[in-house]
Amino acid sequence: MIWTLTVVIGMAELPDSNRTIQKLRTSELEERLAQTEAKRLQLELQIAKAKHAIEGLKPPTDETSEIDHELATYQLVGIVSIADRTHVVLRKGDELIRLRNGEQGAMDLRAEVQSGKVRISRFGHFRDLPLTERW
């Protein structure tokens, strides 16, 4: 009789354990679904950030022609090295402009001495001036 009672109690616990296992499976599936949704949202966010960054790299078309036209008016006069600093001398019309290599100068203009050229830039636009002499 004791053995029969144990079997009956054990059988009574079986449906409860099945329900518990089913609940655990359901919660695990819900957790996996939530993780998948979170990954999808992260990818969408990364894509949106990349698109925004690409759009930020494109200069406005109205300003492009004006700034590019202005950069085309600069001529390279020379490169002067004093101590540990390098200066780039440019001419715009009758005006001489001296800029330190790699630093932003007057009118937000920057000059960088590179291999075989000097790159002048302003507001994200640039123009390369070739080094025709050995400066």
Side-chain angles (χ1 to χ4, degrees):
M1 180 143 160
I2 294 177
W3 185 76
T4 307
L5 184 60
T6 308
V7 172
V8 171
I9 292 173
M11 292 178 78
E13 291 178 9
L14 187 60
D16 286 340
S17 66
N18 282 340
R19 284 187 206 132
T20 304
I21 291 172
Q22 186 63 30
K23 287 180 183 178
L24 289 173
R25 286 181 182 164
T26 303
S27 72
E28 184 180 348
L29 289 173
E30 288 173 350
E31 185 178 337
R32 286 185 181 176
L33 182 63
Q35 288 174 349
T36 302
E37 182 68 12
K39 286 180 183 177
R40 184 185 67 78
L41 290 173
Q42 281 181 326
L43 288 174
E44 285 182 11
L45 179 62
Q46 287 176 347
I47 290 169
K49 284 181 179 179
K51 286 180 180 178
H52 181 72
I54 289 171
E55 288 298 319
L57 293 175
K58 295 178 184 177
T61 54
D62 294 340
E63 291 181 20
T64 302
S65 61
E66 185 178 321
I67 294 173
D68 288 338
H69 175 70
E70 180 185 342
L71 289 176
T73 62
Y74 290 99
Q75 297 173 342
L76 180 62
V77 175
I79 299 172
V80 179
S81 291
I82 302 171
D84 61 341
R85 292 190 177 158
T86 302
H87 298 268
V88 177
V89 181
L90 301 173
R91 173 179 290 150
K92 182 179 179 184
D94 294 334
E95 183 180 349
L96 289 177
I97 302 167
R98 186 181 73 175
L99 301 169
R100 287 186 185 167
N101 182 35
E103 295 181 15
Q104 197 157 345
M107 301 175 289
D108 293 321
L109 191 62
R110 177 186 301 258
E112 298 177 72
V113 179
Q114 299 176 353
S115 179
K117 64 184 176 185
V118 172
R119 175 169 282 185
I120 56 173
S121 59
R122 184 172 185 208
F123 302 126
H125 302 274
F126 67 89
R127 178 174 174 230
D128 292 332
L129 303 171
L131 293 177
T132 55
E133 301 283 328
R134 289 189 167 203
W135 282 327

